[in-house]
Amino acid sequence: MNESKPTQITIDGSKGEAGGQILRNAIAYACIMKVPLKVHSIRAGRPKPGLRAQHKAGLDLARQICSGSLTGAEIGSDCILYDPNSNLLEYTNDASTENN
């Protein structure tokens, strides 16, 4: 059986409410569906556009869970590329960025 790599999905992160929710949903679906993902214009139009610490924490967690590769996930970045691995891991972590 010839299994070809799925086509990358590209999402404009400035659409809708242009916040972090589109990014969180996109990376979760990419991980579950094992589809490469590009999100650009992350939080464009916001007073502080680009990735914030909480978005980076969520992206890093998804990368760890899916053993995928993630580029562009730096604070302030407006574009990320994510390529999930085909094997999901059993993983437990606290993604909180709050100071308790």
Side-chain angles (χ1 to χ4, degrees), residues 1 4 8-9 17 24-25 29 39 41 48 51 53 57 59 61-65 73 80 93:
M1 184 160 129
S4 62
Q8 174 180 284
I9 295 174
E17 49 103 18
R24 288 186 293 273
N25 285 346
Y29 289 131
V39 181
S41 305
K48 292 183 179 179
L51 292 178
L59 291 170
L61 181 59
R63 180 193 52 76
Q64 291 172 19
I65 291 169
I80 61 107
N93 191 354

Side-chain angles (χ1 to χ4, degrees), residues 9-65:
I9 295 174
T10 300
I11 295 182
D12 182 345
S14 70
K15 300 298 181 188
E17 49 103 18
Q21 190 61 46
I22 193 167
L23 181 64
R24 288 186 293 273
N25 285 346
I27 197 142
Y29 289 131
C31 190
I32 292 166
M33 296 170 54
K34 302 173 187 150
V35 176
L37 172 70
K38 176 181 181 180
V39 181
H40 66 86
S41 305
I42 296 170
R43 301 181 69 247
R46 293 286 179 133
K48 292 183 179 179
L51 292 178
R52 306 274 46 100
Q54 66 271 25
H55 307 118
K56 181 176 176 0
L59 291 170
D60 288 339
L61 181 59
R63 180 193 52 76
Q64 291 172 19
I65 291 169

